[in-house]
Amino acid sequence: MDGIVGPIKKEDVTGIPSVTLHEFKQADYTDSEADIEEDFTEEHLELESSYQDVPTEDSDATITQAKSVRSLPLSNTPMRKYPFKLKQNDSGNILTVHHTVNEGGQQLRIQIAACCFNELSNKLVIIDKRGNVFVFDFVNKRYWRLGFRIARAKLVRPSPLHMSDYIVGNKVGQVFIIDVDNSVLGPRGEVGNASLEELSWSNRFLNPCTSNALMRFGSDAVLVNLRTLEVSHQLDFDESRYTLKFAAFLPNSDQFLIGFSNDSLHVWSSHSLCTLRMAQPIKARNRKLRLMPSGESVPEFVLRGSDNSDMEDDLTFDCQDHDYADGLLVSYCFTPDGNKMCLSTLDGYLLLLNVASFDLEKLYRLTDFTLRQMAFLAQPKERIVFGITARNQAVMLDLTNTDYKLIVQRENAIDLTLSRDGKLLSVTSRCGEVNVWSTCRLFNALQAQVRCLGQMKSTFKQLKPLPPCSVSRGVNQEVRHLLKPERLRAMLKEYGCYPEKYRFLIWTSLLELPCNGTQFQALIKLGPPPMVRNQAKKLKIKNEAQRRGVIKIWSCLAQWCKVLAHADFMPHIIYPFVKQLPKNGLVSFEVIATLVLNHFELWFEFHPLPPSNYLAMCENILQDCDGKLCRFYKSQEILAKDFAWSLLSTAFSEVLEEQQWLSLWDNIISEQPWFPVFLVVAYNLVNREVIIRLPDKRSVLSFFHEQNPVDVGKLLSKARRLMARCELALHPQRFMHRFSGIPKGVYPKFLKYPSEWIEQQEDQAISLIKHNQEIDARIRHLELEEVQIMERLENGLKQEEHARRLKEMEKLYQDTIYREEERITCQRKMLLTYQMEVRRRKSEVITKLQESEQRRKVLEMEKEIDLLMHSIERERRRQNQQMQLAEDEIRNQEMELLAQRYYSETAGAPLAQKYFDNIQKLCNQRDQLQKNLRDMTMEHLQTPATSVQFQPHLVDIENSILEIQREFTEIITTETTARGCKSNILN
């Protein structure tokens, strides 16, 4: 009893009507997008709903159909909104939306491409694969359809810029902004070349300077400005080394996380686009598992239950496992507070990391499933995880107690979205539906399951435990008494299979395994035979532990019976048992050995050919039961080895999943050894209608090598009825013995095979090995000779190459010397040129120095002349002053004399007559004085200077000086003349 609550199916929900909300006619609408490929004539949007927390008064009202005119984007036509109801449902499924159209008189379900909740968690936006956009308002209980389509939509998210805006990305790299409240198709941008897979932004997005969002298109990631829908930065990395898998901003940060296919996580800065830190979670997990104490174990989640066989992962026994080329990390999610990060791996682990340091904090084991999408519930904190498994199941896991889990949706779940407040969960189904769940209801169901499990454990608590026993050590007598074949067959008839916990213990009892440990160890010590060693290299098993287990069991079987080493189908039979018992090789070996002695005793009669006698029994029984099917096989040239041996040689592992395979072998081991014959016939009869409709032989052959939906219970019942009604002439018991177990302490030889052929094969193999060894020796000798010849040739080539390179080097040196000589000659010429230039420049400098010296001397002479002129001018001024003083004195004397004469001769003659002689005398004296002064000045000017030999270039300077002297003389003469005129006037 594992306490798993199954999904809620439609037929289980009573009182929830499926109503048609509205119809649309094709003529009422004109598409605004030219790239819409599909069209339709009539659409239906049907709702199935239940909700407890929102009571409605008109729950019994019927919603009638109404036509709606679809409006173009930016149209003035108001949108038509339709009501819907949310009714109470104990399972938590409050709403189921599916879009159905009527085409050609048939109902066609349109799949949902994307959906999301808004930031307030009160609206749900759904886009189907035809581009229709529907909006559901949970507050007003209204929904409407937008007046445009978005072709090939892939992802939709609420925009952080405006409350009513949403960002939509499609499969060809286009990004749209839509306004759902006003039915407006906003700007669009060609951002990428692939489908938009992830979209995130930092916590500082509202800042206009930091409006970049991180978008991942396949293996490319870009930073896009959501205001302009233009790419601002392209994330570059070495694509030849690894591929991009994840790209998203860290919560509450402006840094973003990058995940690659080599399972490394990088944190990049959104400013510098450089790696800030790196983590290797897979290596951290392996290190933690390796260092874990022996008494400590990893918490495990198990979805498989005793009565739920279809919860197993797909199990194929064709010796192939998953492809690990893209790494082990499958998906990731962050806690609501952004402090923790959860990672799921391909090999079934959940890793809980600290976002700040990327240290591994917790580790969980997913035993029989893998999560490919996850989301944390806000409350309780870091406890509840919703996920989508690889088998398309929506599950709810409690990380605090791994025994408590809930299957929200059992099948067809491909995507989930959790609202921001954590109250609503949407699950998109492959069949074209979106189921909206109340997480509060789901959490209450989980808590009820916890209480139920506690009560059941307390009720069925065993007061006296079963006696201890070990499968590897045999079964004691008390346990054998409890596990009587009659009681076991009654249990098998009642439940169809044995309890998983005691299955192999029951097999040990039914097959009467002796657990001969000593003999088994002796077979192991013999090692693998050469045939097994050679064929083991071809095994394609990714899990190395399982590969080693298959080789070990095959080697022991080959040492016990030689023919088993030559049987190519043995790994396909061994692998399922080894996978079920990975740590118990003894039981696996004895189970297969017992089956070989009893059930497979006729399989090796004509080895290496298929067992014709055994297959003939299958064909005879099939002919007796269904002659038409046999005629079909004959018309397609299909033999018994095609429809029977393909099932037997793989022990039905190719056509059944794991739980079905275990249930089948529970019944085979409980029946007599000829039961597989009837199982083969029953499998053909159960799938008869499918087989006869296959078009050709190739399809029929492929049918018996692939898994097909089959009811194991029906298959077993059919086989038992065939075995009970089979005629004695056709019954396999005529040719096969009843079951006989292996005795204690010995493994009896199996001899029902062509031993002579095996011996011949071994002799031929030995001779071939010797021949191959001789050939190898000759090849090695030839290779050695070839190596020696190649060495000699290589030495000769080396010497030749060495001589050639020496010659090239000598030529190079000669060319270098020649170039150096030319360079030196050129430098000498340049040196002579430089010397001539220096001499020329030196003469120019000397000339300029001489000119400068001459200019200095001229300037000194000019300075002396200026001083002389200044001194002459001062002397002239002094003499002028003296002359003026003298004139003034003479004038005073004359005035005194005139006054005296005037006073003395006032009565006599006129004054002019009285003083005429004196005045005439004074004028003569004055004239004489002026003449003397003029002669003195002229004598001084005409005195020849010191004879100085001037150079020709100083003639101009001398001429200028003489000109100045002449001008000076003229000035003095003019002044003298003026004074004479003045004195004459006075006289």
Side-chain angles (χ1 to χ4, degrees), residues 388-405:
I388 302 293
T389 67
R391 291 177 57 82
N392 299 325
Q393 299 170 336
V395 297
M396 180 180 181
L397 306 178
D398 189 348
L399 298 183
T400 59
N401 194 329
T402 58
D403 291 335
Y404 305 142
K405 58 270 181 184

Side-chain angles (χ1 to χ4, degrees), residues 164-195:
S164 63
D165 286 357
Y166 287 77
I167 306 168
V168 182
N170 63 8
K171 295 183 179 180
V172 294
Q174 297 176 341
V175 179
F176 304 84
I177 303 295
I178 62 174
D179 185 350
V180 299
D181 290 346
N182 302 314
S183 185
V184 174
L185 179 61
R188 58 184 289 180
E190 301 285 343
V191 180
N193 298 322
S195 175

Side-chain angles (χ1 to χ4, degrees), residues 713-729:
K714 184 178 179 181
L715 176 65
L716 293 169
S717 300
K718 186 74 172 178
R720 285 193 172 90
R721 288 196 300 270
L722 291 174
M723 185 171 59
R725 294 200 299 264
C726 183
E727 299 178 3
L728 184 60

Side-chain angles (χ1 to χ4, degrees), residues 99-114:
H99 188 189
T100 306
V101 298
N102 189 355
E103 292 186 353
Q106 295 182 354
Q107 297 292 328
L108 177 62
R109 180 71 56 86
I110 307 298
Q111 291 188 350
I112 304 300

Side-chain angles (χ1 to χ4, degrees), residues 61-80:
T62 302
I63 302 175
T64 59
Q65 300 181 356
K67 294 184 180 179
S68 172
V69 178
R70 306 175 202 167
S71 61
L72 293 172
L74 306 177
S75 174
N76 295 326
T77 305
M79 290 183 297
R80 182 76 176 274

Side-chain angles (χ1 to χ4, degrees), residues 605-839:
E605 284 183 324
F606 305 102
H607 186 80
L609 299 176
S612 57
N613 290 337
Y614 196 90
L615 299 178
M617 290 188 291
C618 300
E619 190 173 9
N620 291 336
I621 296 174
L622 183 62
Q623 177 69 36
D624 183 66
C625 297
D626 195 337
K628 183 179 179 181
L629 183 59
C630 288
R631 287 191 295 272
F632 172 76
Y633 284 154
K634 187 175 181 180
S635 64
Q636 296 289 341
E637 297 181 355
I638 297 174
L639 305 178
K641 69 181 183 63
D642 299 324
F643 67 82
W645 183 239
S646 58
L647 301 174
L648 295 170
S649 61
T650 58
F652 295 90
S653 60
E654 276 189 334
V655 297
L656 298 177
E657 63 177 3
E658 184 178 2
Q659 191 63 28
Q660 292 175 338
W661 183 87
L662 291 171
S663 177
L664 181 75
W665 276 94
D666 285 343
N667 288 268
I668 292 176
I669 291 174
S670 301
E671 296 291 342
Q672 290 299 324
W674 49 79
F675 188 62
V677 176
F678 296 98
L679 278 176
V680 171
V681 178
Y683 187 84
N684 282 266
L685 295 178
V686 168
N687 296 283
R688 176 183 183 279
E689 297 301 326
V690 178
I691 295 172
I692 61 176
R693 286 174 172 80
L694 295 175
D696 50 16
K697 179 180 179 180
R698 180 169 167 269
S699 303
V700 176
L701 296 180
S702 301
F703 178 82
F704 291 99
H705 290 280
E706 59 188 16
Q707 287 190 7
N708 302 284
V710 61
D711 188 346
V712 177
K714 184 178 179 181
L715 176 65
L716 293 169
S717 300
K718 186 74 172 178
R720 285 193 172 90
R721 288 196 300 270
L722 291 174
M723 185 171 59
R725 294 200 299 264
C726 183
E727 299 178 3
L728 184 60
L730 300 176
H731 205 287
Q733 67 181 355
R734 295 178 53 198
F735 312 100
M736 299 178 65
H737 300 89
R738 287 189 169 272
F739 177 79
S740 175
I742 298 175
K744 186 72 173 176
V746 65
Y747 291 135
K749 285 292 183 180
F750 177 71
L751 301 175
K752 294 183 178 180
Y753 64 90
S755 57
E756 295 180 358
W757 181 86
I758 297 298
E759 292 176 358
Q760 291 177 2
Q761 287 291 105
E762 291 180 350
D763 294 339
Q764 291 179 3
I766 294 172
S767 62
L768 287 175
I769 291 173
K770 292 181 179 179
H771 186 61
N772 290 334
Q773 291 176 352
E774 293 176 357
I775 293 174
D776 291 340
R778 293 178 61 186
I779 290 174
R780 284 195 298 272
H781 181 69
L782 292 175
E783 288 177 350
L784 182 60
E785 290 183 353
E786 183 181 4
V787 169
Q788 293 175 354
I789 293 172
M790 292 300 295
E791 288 180 355
R792 289 198 297 271
L793 179 60
E794 186 177 356
N795 292 332
L797 292 175
K798 285 182 179 179
Q799 293 176 0
E800 182 181 355
E801 183 68 17
H802 182 66
R804 185 180 63 81
R805 291 187 178 182
L806 284 176
K807 188 174 180 180
E808 290 179 355
M809 186 174 60
E810 183 179 358
K811 183 179 179 182
L812 178 63
Y813 285 154
Q814 290 177 356
D815 295 340
T816 304
I817 293 171
Y818 177 73
R819 287 195 300 270
E820 287 295 322
E821 290 176 351
E822 289 184 347
R823 187 177 63 82
I824 292 172
T825 304
C826 182
Q827 287 181 351
R828 286 177 180 174
K829 292 180 180 180
M830 292 176 64
L831 181 60
L832 293 175
T833 305
Y834 289 156
Q835 289 176 352
M836 294 174 63
E837 181 70 19
V838 167
R839 285 196 295 269

Side-chain angles (χ1 to χ4, degrees), residues 483-502:
L483 301 178
K484 289 183 178 180
E486 294 79 10
R487 300 179 62 182
L488 294 175
R489 291 190 182 93
M491 181 190 303
L492 189 65
K493 184 178 180 181
E494 179 69 22
Y495 300 102
C497 62
Y498 294 126
E500 180 184 2
K501 185 176 181 180
Y502 302 102

